[in-house]
Amino acid sequence: MAIIKVQKGTKDILPSEMPVWHFMEEKANQVFSSYGAKEIRTPIFEATELFARGVGDTTDIVNKEMYTFEKSERSLTLRPENTAGVVRSFIENGMHRLSAPVKLWYKGPMFRYERPQAGRQRQFHQVGVEVFGIKQATADAEVILMAVNYLKALGLNDLSVELNSLGCPECRETFKTKLKAVIKPYLNELCPDCQARYEKNPLRLLDCKVEECKAIYAKPEIQAVIQSDFICEDCANHFNELKEYLDALGIKYEINKLLVRGLDYYNRTVFEIKSNNLGSQNAVCGGGRYDSLVRNLGGEDTPAIGFAMGMERLASLIGSKTEEKTKAFVVSGNMIEAVKLAEELRSKGISCEFDLTNKKFVKQLEKASKVAKYALILGEDELSTNQVTVKNLETSEQKTVKRENIELI
Ligand code: ATP
Ligand code: MG
């Protein structure tokens, strides 16, 4: 019979890979908790409208990449990212009444219908942070610090932080007008996506990955507009404050004026962290400030900033970690005594297995050496004296001890 395979763009995370995933998850808990952030888990599907309004209907994510389906005449979507869900929950649970800042972190699977390639899947995982209620640049600095320190805790180096300010809706409007004017003569030469973006979301033109478009945007008269300091005084002060904090904290960054980020709701600070050790999909973290999103989704006016990281990309940078062996394996001709001893150890939190098929003693010992660190030998002699022979399977040292005195170091 034909076998059923895993779906294109999705992957099993196998037991051999689990140590790396547990490591990423434990470090996230440790590092984000150390900043006072609390974990939140929101549903994997939400009303489609949440993403249309929350991510923005001019984005690729909403236009091309959503897994949308109908149930009971409701349009539902598998979450393509978690910020919209966290904001929905923040509003629904009245979290604006908590004392600011409200710091939340999450981890879990996201779904985007994209062209699968190295570093790009249709089901992938993100770990992320959202900080609500602080408009000052201190929150921007803290969020970037959380991202950088998390990556450090994973042992990842050779990363670069890219930073930009998109200004506020007011100063951005002037910039958009100037940008459109200087790009207009080339409109027919742009890719179809850029032609659509030109009217709907001109900032996203800068994000285009098509070589022909990139060459056009590299023209001196267009670069002059892109590189200009268009942001207003308040936005510039905010950005300068952030840079001062980062400088004082010794966090290196580069300003990248082309950094506009994929989502519609960002204002002021946007940032990305890239690895120099990944191929073309080299962004491990993307984030930014989204001061109008809570209000746009029907909540109280609440400034916010956050980031998301791609866990598969982090995992590929971390490399492999060895699987933990089971601590002990009971070797015995007496199945009942074997299971009793195994249960005694498990109840003390020590992992323990025994041979479920009652094979010969030598076979059991062979199996023990493959999967465990210690063999606990329960032969006739041991059983009659209520003792156990503990054999270290790495050094072959062994000694016989009272059953209640088993020590596995
Ligand atoms: P890209 O430009 O690579 O498409 P993005 O702007 O769509 O990224 P975000 O929505 O900001 O990405 O997501 C944050 C992070 O999640 C990315 O930096 C990346 O590490 C990871 N990520 C995004 N999409 C995918 C995917 N399809 N497969 C694996 N990881 C992804
Ligand atoms: Mg994308």
Side-chain angles (χ1 to χ4, degrees):
M1 223 189 300
I3 54 164
I4 299 169
K5 292 196 173 154
V6 75
Q7 289 300 293
K8 195 172 163 196
T10 71
K11 272 187 186 158
D12 298 314
I13 302 174
L14 297 169
S16 60
E17 299 166 75
M18 230 54 225
V20 173
W21 285 80
H22 286 159
F23 174 67
M24 290 192 287
E25 291 164 2
E26 278 157 23
K27 288 291 174 201
N29 193 11
Q30 264 171 31
V31 174
F32 302 145
S33 302
S34 76
Y35 290 83
K38 310 279 186 242
E39 187 178 356
I40 184 168
R41 297 187 191 181
T42 65
I44 278 167
F45 64 85
E46 298 267 3
T48 303
E49 192 195 349
L50 175 69
F51 303 113
R53 271 166 61 190
V55 180
D57 45 20
T58 67
T59 59
D60 285 354
I61 294 181
V62 170
N63 281 327
K64 303 182 194 161
E65 300 175 0
M66 295 212 296
Y67 281 92
T68 298
F69 56 99
E70 292 238 342
K71 271 279 176 258
S72 312
E73 292 171 28
R74 296 182 67 87
S75 179
L76 303 172
T77 293
L78 298 183
R79 62 183 188 194
E81 54 94 60
N82 212 349
T83 301
V86 169
V87 171
R88 180 204 45 70
S89 179
F90 178 90
I91 298 168
E92 205 170 338
N93 293 292
M95 289 191 226
H96 65 279
R97 289 193 297 269
L98 303 172
S99 91
V102 175
K103 303 177 183 178
L104 303 172
W105 75 272
Y106 61 80
K107 60 169 195 272
M110 309 295 156
F111 306 85
R112 296 184 192 178
Y113 189 68
E114 308 206 58
R115 193 168 65 80
Q117 53 192 292
R120 202 174 281 292
Q121 294 175 200
R122 290 179 172 173
Q123 175 175 341
F124 61 100
H125 296 75
Q126 285 184 334
V127 57
V129 168
E130 315 291 352
V131 172
F132 294 93
I134 306 289
K135 60 177 190 303
Q136 285 90 338
T138 40
D140 308 44
E142 179 147 291
V143 162
I144 294 174
L145 205 56
M146 283 165 100
V148 168
N149 282 335
Y150 176 56
L151 295 166
K152 264 195 206 149
L154 297 181
L156 303 181
N157 303 306
D158 215 7
L159 297 162
S160 46
V161 179
E162 295 188 1
L163 203 59
N164 194 16
S165 175
L166 302 178
C168 56
E170 291 79 48
C171 52
R172 195 152 64 209
E173 216 37 58
T174 327
F175 176 69
K176 280 187 194 168
T177 312
K178 281 190 190 157
L179 189 66
K180 280 172 76 176
V182 75
I183 288 176
K184 195 167 187 183
Y186 306 98
L187 197 52
N188 293 333
E189 296 165 46
L190 300 180
C191 74
D193 277 348
C194 276
Q195 296 199 7
R197 285 175 192 138
Y198 182 83
E199 284 305 335
K200 284 208 264 171
N201 192 351
L203 270 195
R204 291 290 316 284
L205 292 169
L206 309 182
D207 205 21
C208 186
K209 310 268 187 318
V210 176
E211 289 306 324
E212 288 76 13
C213 297
K214 285 208 264 186
I216 292 172
Y217 306 141
K219 288 182 185 294
E221 75 270 25
I222 300 181
Q223 276 299 310
V225 174
I226 294 172
Q227 300 300 334
S228 67
D229 290 320
F230 69 88
I231 57 177
C232 65
E233 201 181 333
D234 280 354
C235 288
N237 287 342
H238 182 99
F239 198 41
N240 287 334
E241 253 176 71
L242 169 61
K243 289 188 280 188
E244 276 167 29
Y245 285 125
L246 295 179
D247 290 339
L249 292 163
I251 297 190
K252 293 198 176 60
Y253 55 84
E254 283 160 44
I255 306 294
N256 176 1
K257 295 263 196 181
L258 294 178
L259 188 65
V260 291
R261 308 276 308 123
L263 316 181
D264 276 357
Y265 50 61
Y266 287 115
N267 68 301
R268 292 197 165 162
T269 311
V270 287
F271 64 98
E272 263 186 17
I273 304 180
K274 291 182 178 157
S275 162
N276 301 324
N277 298 316
L278 287 171
S280 52
Q281 312 308 329
N282 62 354
V284 293
C285 174
R289 183 169 269 285
Y290 51 93
D291 292 337
S292 54
L293 183 61
V294 180
R295 194 186 51 222
N296 286 348
L297 289 175
E300 300 276 319
D301 215 352
T302 310
I305 175 161
F307 65 77
M309 297 191 185
M311 295 182 80
E312 279 77 5
R313 294 187 197 173
L314 296 179
S316 74
L317 287 171
I318 293 168
S320 59
K321 285 202 176 284
T322 40
E323 245 175 301
E324 273 282 307
K325 278 189 166 176
T326 304
K327 199 80 177 210
F329 195 102
V330 183
V331 174
S332 179
N334 186 326
M335 292 272 280
I336 302 290
E337 289 303 324
V339 69
K340 279 189 187 163
L341 180 59
E343 285 292 286
E344 272 170 45
L345 283 140
R346 292 164 184 165
S347 72
K348 291 182 197 154
I350 299 168
S351 58
C352 188
E353 294 183 78
F354 67 99
D355 174 35
L356 294 165
T357 56
N358 206 10
K359 281 196 205 57
K360 291 214 172 64
F361 187 86
V362 185
K363 290 275 176 210
Q364 287 191 28
L365 207 52
E366 268 174 23
K367 168 86 178 168
S369 336
K370 276 190 202 138
V371 302
K373 281 190 182 157
Y374 292 91
L376 303 182
I377 301 164
L378 266 185
E380 296 286 327
D381 289 352
E382 283 90 351
L383 281 170
S384 63
T385 53
N386 201 29
Q387 288 183 309
V388 178
T389 299
V390 179
K391 179 172 183 181
N392 181 324
L393 294 163
E394 275 149 25
T395 61
S396 291
E397 275 173 77
Q398 64 177 60
K399 65 177 174 187
T400 305
V401 297
K402 280 261 169 235
R403 194 152 158 164
E404 54 275 19
N405 294 344
I406 298 173
E407 266 185 47
L408 309 175
I409 305 142

